[in-house]
Amino acid sequence: SGRVVVVTGAAGGIGGRYVASLTAAGALVVAADVAPLAERGTELAEKATAAGPGRAVFVTADITSDDDWAATVDTARREFGRIDALVN
């Protein structure tokens, strides 16, 4: 509870389950995935937040891009102040 976690590949499959499980445990999650999956990722983050008690935000990111990865880290710092863990 209260940990800040970045989850990549978060819009589907295993990544999506991590987002749901972590927010259910009270984590603050930055969910990241590629642009074609942005709508699904955003919906997943909204549902996970609504189910609580944690919170999730979605960012569009291709983690093979240095700029996208930097933006993901910046989002975690801006939204939650730090990063405690990474699920990749």
Side-chain angles (χ1 to χ4, degrees), residues 12-62:
I14 294 170
R17 285 183 177 80
Y18 269 107
V19 172
S21 294
L22 288 164
T23 55
L28 307 170
V29 179
V30 176
D33 215 323
V34 293
L37 300 175
E39 185 176 332
R40 188 158 91 192
T42 299
E43 289 173 7
L44 182 124
E46 289 171 354
K47 285 180 184 178
T49 296
R55 186 163 80 95
V57 296
F58 180 80
V59 295
T60 301
D62 176 348

Side-chain angles (χ1 to χ4, degrees), residues 6 8 30-36 58-76 78 83:
V6 174
T8 64
V30 176
D33 215 323
V34 293
F58 180 80
V59 295
T60 301
D62 176 348
I63 63 162
T64 65
S65 161
D66 290 341
D67 290 340
D68 284 4
W69 180 244
T72 301
V73 170
D74 289 345
T75 298
R78 184 181 62 254
I83 298 173

